[in-house]
Structure formats: structure tokens, C-alpha cells
Amino acid sequence: MSHALSRVNDVSEPVIHAAGLTKVYGDTVAVGGIDFDVPPGESFGLLGPNGAGKSTTMRMVGAVSTRTAGELSILGLDPDQHGPEIRAQLGVVPQQDNLDMELQARENLLVYGRYFGLPRRVIAQRADELLAFAQLEDKAKSKVDDLSGGMKRRLTIARALINDPRILLLDEPTTGLDPQARHILWDRLFRLKEQGTTLVLTTHYMDEAEQLCDRLVVVDKGRIMAEGSPSALIREHSTREVLEVRFGSDRNADAAKRIGAIAGLGERIEELPDRVLVYADNGEHALAAVIESGLEPVTSLVRRSSLEDVFLRLTGRSLIE
């Protein structure tokens, strides 16, 4: 897999450039004029809730959906004019695994490699390398149907790498996986990033974005709300810590009002249907002040701020609704 290492030294022209990128379906604006650049070797994320326009953006970047307006260039080419050349240099991991269930794991890689017109010997060698990379060597002869969800996802990623792509597009890569399977997958993606492959991923999991993305845009209703590294976005839009207190669904609203009346308690308070969030630099101090005021939360939790808080601040709603 070392052949990808040289890419880090490529000319630093953006591998993806979008300006005013727009997609309209009938009366619906799915993507409303967004701008972003992705330099080579970066892991770039589109973070937002379902329906935010992330997958539509990915389809345009993947040269399978034409744009309505704006500029888009992928690897220096316009996808409207050069779709096949662009697609030959991309790896695509769709939201749903679309593997051939009847074929064995290794056969899935061999068949897919032939679409790119690669010599059989090259495909066979790459298939073996990629099965090892995906930690599926012992499943080479297993039917896809017999693999676990996490194994299918790793096989889908291995298949997307068979043409040695310069850019790997991942649409919601870990949806539906258990925590252990997600961590194995993150490790594989991190290794690709270290080898210089440009990663572009959509996700509505803030922990995934924090783990994998060098930089991301927060997208809502087809528009970019903020852009930056995960840590910079958290610093800019949230406090160091968050106190979460629950009082029971019928008491949260009243408790939120009373918490809001405590002098100097933190920067802001968010009332969600099931809990009240207090944004403060010291969550333990905030909790002590809440209890001193005579309120008795059913549960309390002090945690560091996350991208979920950034999203809530920017859009007024939770990422996972």
C-alpha cells in the first residue's frame, strides 16, 4: 500500500474546488451555493443532519450528478465534461453496501477491478493487499452474505481502493455499526490518510468527525454554517465544558428557567426535550451552583464540548433528531 505515499508531495492545488455549488430538484434547493476547497491528502468532512445536502454534494463531487449552477472541479477537471476520467481516479463508499452477496469476498474485489480495465495479475495482487489491509484475509473465500456488518463495510472500502484512487469519498461510513466495528474502521481510514489518500466523508456523528477530519464544514439545509478544524470550531462556538442535567421531561422547562436565573452560571443554557445543557468553562462549578440553588437533577453529567454543541449553537437543533 506504500504506492500512495508519494501523493503527499503532489502540487498543492486543491483536488476539489467548489464555488457557488448549487443543486436544485424542481422547487427544492438541495445544495444552496456552497464554497469549499480540499487540498491533497486532507481528510475533509461534511457534518450535518440527514437531509442537509451532504449526499447530494457527494454525488456531484463523485461525477454522477450534474450541478445546477456554480463551479466544481475535481482533480483539475470539470465533472460535467470529464466524468469518466474523474470516476477512474475516485474510490466511492456509498451509504448502503452494494456488494454482490452471491460472490465470495475476494471475488467482489476481482470483478470490480475489471471495471477499471486493470490487468488480472495487478487486480489479484491488489485484492490480496486490500483484504489484508481490511483485516479480512481469513474471509477471502467467505460469501459476502455470511460476513458481519462491520466486515461488509471494510470490504466495501477495500473494493473502493482497488483502482488506487486519489480521492476516497465515504458517505456515512459507519452508520449501523457497533462501537467496536466503528473503531476498527476508523483505524483503517486513519491509515489511508497517513498514506496520503485524500478522504472526503459525510457524517452525522460528531465523534466520527472529531476522530477523522482535519477540517470540516457544518452543513444545514443545503448551506455551510461554519468551517474549520474540529478543535477550532469547538473553541469558536462553544465553552470548554458542558453540564447536562435531567429533571424528568415534565420538569425540564421549569428547571431551565430557574437555572437561567442563577447569576454568573455559564455562558448559555439550552433546553432540549430530555435535558438541560449549561455551557460553562467549569462544569463541576456549574453543577455545584445548580444544586446549591435547591434544584435536584435526576442525573447529571459534565463533559467536554463537542461538535454536537457547535451544531446546536449554529442551527438551534440537534444533529441527530
Side-chain angles (χ1 to χ4, degrees):
M1 300 284 293
S2 59
H3 45 263
L5 281 168
S6 59
R7 293 191 190 134
V8 180
N9 305 319
D10 285 357
V11 184
S12 284
E13 286 294 305
V15 290
I16 302 170
H17 166 71
L21 182 61
T22 304
K23 182 69 179 186
V24 180
Y25 297 102
D27 296 333
T28 305
V29 179
V31 177
I34 63 174
D35 307 331
F36 62 90
D37 286 307
V38 181
E42 183 172 73
S43 181
F44 179 79
L46 295 150
L47 179 73
N50 293 330
K54 307 187 303 290
S55 294
T56 305
T57 302
M58 286 292 251
R59 284 196 292 275
M60 290 190 280
V61 170
V64 293
S65 172
T66 54
R67 63 193 184 274
T68 308
E71 294 172 24
L72 181 62
S73 80
I74 314 298
L75 301 166
L77 301 170
D78 182 332
D80 286 358
Q81 265 83 53
H82 302 279
E85 297 99 302
I86 291 169
R87 287 192 292 274
Q89 300 186 73
L90 299 180
V92 179
V93 179
Q95 220 171 85
Q96 303 294 329
D97 295 321
N98 54 357
L99 298 159
D100 192 322
M101 294 293 173
E102 295 300 305
L103 295 181
Q104 296 172 356
R106 188 170 185 272
E107 289 170 342
N108 261 277
L109 301 184
L110 299 177
V111 169
Y112 196 68
R114 284 183 208 133
Y115 291 136
F116 294 97
L118 298 167
R120 282 173 187 259
R121 184 181 50 77
V122 172
I123 300 170
Q125 184 188 340
R126 278 200 195 155
D128 292 333
E129 282 178 11
L130 288 166
L131 285 168
F133 172 77
Q135 295 177 305
L136 292 169
E137 288 156 299
D138 56 337
K139 300 290 181 185
K141 293 201 162 107
S142 299
K143 277 233 176 108
V144 169
D145 229 358
D146 299 331
L147 301 179
S148 70
M151 288 173 184
K152 284 179 187 151
R153 210 70 188 125
R154 298 206 301 276
L155 184 61
T156 302
I157 289 172
R159 188 188 62 175
L161 296 169
I162 198 84
N163 58 321
D164 191 22
R166 290 181 60 193
I167 305 173
L168 184 63
L169 304 177
L170 302 122
D171 200 0
E172 300 285 354
T174 65
T175 295
L177 296 187
D178 65 63
Q180 187 188 6
R182 289 178 80 207
H183 281 282
I184 296 171
L185 198 60
W186 287 350
D187 174 63
R188 301 296 102 181
L189 294 176
F190 198 75
R191 287 173 191 233
L192 283 175
K193 192 167 103 64
E194 287 183 323
Q195 290 165 0
T197 304
T198 304
L199 304 181
V200 180
L201 66 127
T202 74
T203 183
H204 61 267
Y205 296 128
M206 63 277 176
D207 56 342
E208 182 152 279
E210 285 183 37
Q211 286 282 338
L212 294 177
C213 299
D214 301 318
R215 193 167 56 91
L216 56 95
V217 290
V218 178
V219 188
D220 188 38
K221 296 177 182 152
R223 298 195 175 276
I224 290 175
M225 311 294 289
E227 178 181 339
S229 69
S231 58
L233 285 169
I234 291 167
R235 270 199 311 277
E236 189 179 340
H237 297 285
S238 196
T239 50
R240 201 168 67 86
E241 293 187 341
V242 185
L243 165 65
E244 297 193 2
V245 278
R246 287 182 164 86
F247 296 90
S249 49
D250 54 341
R251 294 179 52 225
N252 282 332
D254 176 55
K257 281 197 194 76
R258 288 177 60 188
I259 290 170
I262 301 171
L265 185 65
E267 285 190 17
R268 66 182 226 281
I269 288 152
E270 287 276 1
E271 181 201 331
L272 298 182
D274 61 334
R275 62 195 185 278
V276 180
L277 306 181
V278 180
Y279 288 90
D281 281 328
N282 189 318
E284 294 293 349
H285 284 181
L287 177 58
V290 167
I291 291 167
E292 269 170 36
S293 77
L295 285 164
E296 294 178 10
V298 179
T299 65
S300 62
L301 166 73
V302 173
R303 60 170 176 79
R304 70 182 183 88
S305 269
S306 73
L307 287 169
E308 174 88 35
D309 301 298
V310 171
F311 191 80
L312 192 58
R313 179 75 185 267
L314 293 170
T315 69
R317 59 208 183 90
S318 175
L319 259 174
I320 301 163
E321 301 219 295

